[in-house]
């Protein structure tokens, strides 16, 4: 395949990864490694949609905060499946403090000429479904069309996540994204006791991921992947994250921010 040049977005990614290269674990593309909704360092949940994100449901596109348990949302399987539970998390920012879990903004048309059809804000490790794999949003940051950001005028971060009976891919602002992947408990959400009131203390097996999860577990593994790509001008040995990143970064200059 063709040569992969170090474009401006790739250069930014290179230095970002180099700065974060300490204390990492290898890349995982296995669907068995499913703890994508838990920060591996703090063990906190942070896979969520920002307040106001529109989800495709049977009744049309509905802001996530207006969706109720039992509402049916469109899945990648072509079906409308009922929402089992809705997790909520809110962060208030002290003056001068750094935002915890700053959302990632996927700009309108960042993924392709139609997707998403409006700016999409998700938490850093919320996975997008791209090329048949699930990729955390923060792995796609290019500082142009995909950046850590808050909508103008937002003072508090309010996150919501939708749990279905199984792990699925649904549509947020037209983009394919994951539902809640339950692998342990839900106590990272402010309203976790609501689940227990509804369903008691269920003893269920962890959910199986809808698709393979492509993610890095730290800066060093990301840096190694980037170096491997740059050192292979003839044979394309990029991993799925790099393939998606390069394609999205290449069109970033065409996206009106």
């Amino acid at each position: 395949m063709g040569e992969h040049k170090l474009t401006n977005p790739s250069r930014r990614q290179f230095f970002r990864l180099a700065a974060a290269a300490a204390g990492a674990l290898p890349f995982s593309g296995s669907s068995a490694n499913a703890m994508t909704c838990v920060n591996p360092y703090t063990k906190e949940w942070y896979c969520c949609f920002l307040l106001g994100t529109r989800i495709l449901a049977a009744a049309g596109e509905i802001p996530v905060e207006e969706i109720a348990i039992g509402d049916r949302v469109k899945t990648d399987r072509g079906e409308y499946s009922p929402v089992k539970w809705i997790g909520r998390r809110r962060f208030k920012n002290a003056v001068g403090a750094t935002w915890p879990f700053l959302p990632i903004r996927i700009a309108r048309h960042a993924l392709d000429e139609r997707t998403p059809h409006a700016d999409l804000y998700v938490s850093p490790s919320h996975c997008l479904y791209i090329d048949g794999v699930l990729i955390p949003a923060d792995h796609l940051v290019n500082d142009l069309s995909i950046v850590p950001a808050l909508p103008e005028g937002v003072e508090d971060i309010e996150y919501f996540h939708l749990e279905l009976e199984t792990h699925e891919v649904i549509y947020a602002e037209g983009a394919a994204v994951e539902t809640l992947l339950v692998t342990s408990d839900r106590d990272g959400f402010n309203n976790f006791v609501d689940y227990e009131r509804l369903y008691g203390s269920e003893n269920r097996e962890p959910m199986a991921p809808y698709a393979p999860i492509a993610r890095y577990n730290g800066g060093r593994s990301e840096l190694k992947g980037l170096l491997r790509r740059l050192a292979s001008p003839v044979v394309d040995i990029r991993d799925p994250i790099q393939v998606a990143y390069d394609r999205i970064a290449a069109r970033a200059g065409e996206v009106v921010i």
Side-chain angles (χ1 to χ4, degrees):
M1 297 186 184
E3 181 178 357
H4 308 297
K5 296 180 180 179
L6 187 59
T7 62
N8 286 338
S10 292
R11 187 177 293 112
R12 281 188 286 271
Q13 186 194 37
F14 179 88
F15 289 113
R16 177 173 65 85
L17 298 181
L25 297 173
F27 165 81
S28 171
S30 169
S31 59
N33 193 357
M35 295 296 287
T36 54
C37 287
V38 179
N39 183 320
Y41 306 107
T42 67
K43 303 302 180 184
E44 293 204 48
W45 296 72
Y46 62 113
C47 277
C48 302
F49 302 104
L50 193 66
L51 175 78
T53 302
R54 294 176 298 174
I55 307 296
L56 182 57
E61 286 194 315
I62 302 175
V64 65
E65 66 273 17
E66 296 180 13
I67 291 178
I69 292 173
D71 287 351
R72 294 181 175 271
V73 295
K74 181 72 175 289
T75 73
D76 186 61
R77 303 180 196 272
E79 304 167 347
Y80 286 91
S81 297
V83 172
K84 181 176 181 178
W85 186 69
I86 302 163
R88 299 190 303 273
R89 188 84 189 263
R90 183 171 183 172
F91 297 98
K92 295 182 70 68
N93 194 29
V95 176
T98 300
W99 271 113
F101 305 142
L102 187 68
I104 303 298
R105 183 188 70 205
I106 298 100
R108 178 177 179 266
H109 296 172
L111 304 181
D112 59 39
E113 63 274 9
R114 297 182 301 274
T115 313
H117 51 234
D119 288 357
L120 169 64
Y121 292 85
V122 296
S123 54
S125 278
H126 199 126
C127 287
L128 284 71
Y129 184 56
I130 300 174
D131 300 336
V133 297
L134 292 161
I135 302 176
D138 62 353
H139 288 359
L140 301 173
V141 168
N142 56 39
D143 297 330
L144 291 172
S145 62
I146 301 182
V147 299
L150 275 172
E152 186 176 355
V154 169
E155 296 182 356
D156 296 337
I157 292 178
E158 292 185 73
Y159 279 139
F160 296 79
H161 212 346
L162 304 181
E163 179 180 342
L164 277 55
E165 189 64 34
T166 54
H167 188 231
E168 300 292 341
V169 165
I170 59 175
Y171 297 93
E173 306 295 359
V177 294
E178 68 173 334
T179 59
L180 179 61
L181 175 58
V182 180
T183 57
S184 54
D185 52 35
R186 300 166 182 80
D187 58 7
F189 292 105
N190 295 146
N191 64 325
F192 71 94
V193 295
D194 293 346
Y195 186 93
E196 296 179 0
R197 291 192 188 105
L198 287 168
Y199 302 106
S201 54
E202 289 185 320
N203 185 17
R204 298 182 58 191
E205 292 294 322
M207 287 183 178
Y210 178 78
I213 299 163
R215 64 171 179 171
Y216 300 114
N217 290 331
R220 184 174 300 161
S221 59
E222 295 181 75
L223 181 59
K224 286 181 179 179
L226 182 58
L227 291 172
R228 186 175 66 249
R229 180 190 67 186
L230 298 175
S232 305
V234 178
V235 179
D236 190 345
I237 58 172
R238 294 175 297 169
D239 61 50
I241 298 170
Q242 294 164 345
V243 171
Y245 178 93
D246 286 350
R247 184 173 69 245
I248 294 166
R251 64 173 279 104
E254 306 171 14
V255 177
V256 177
I257 307 301

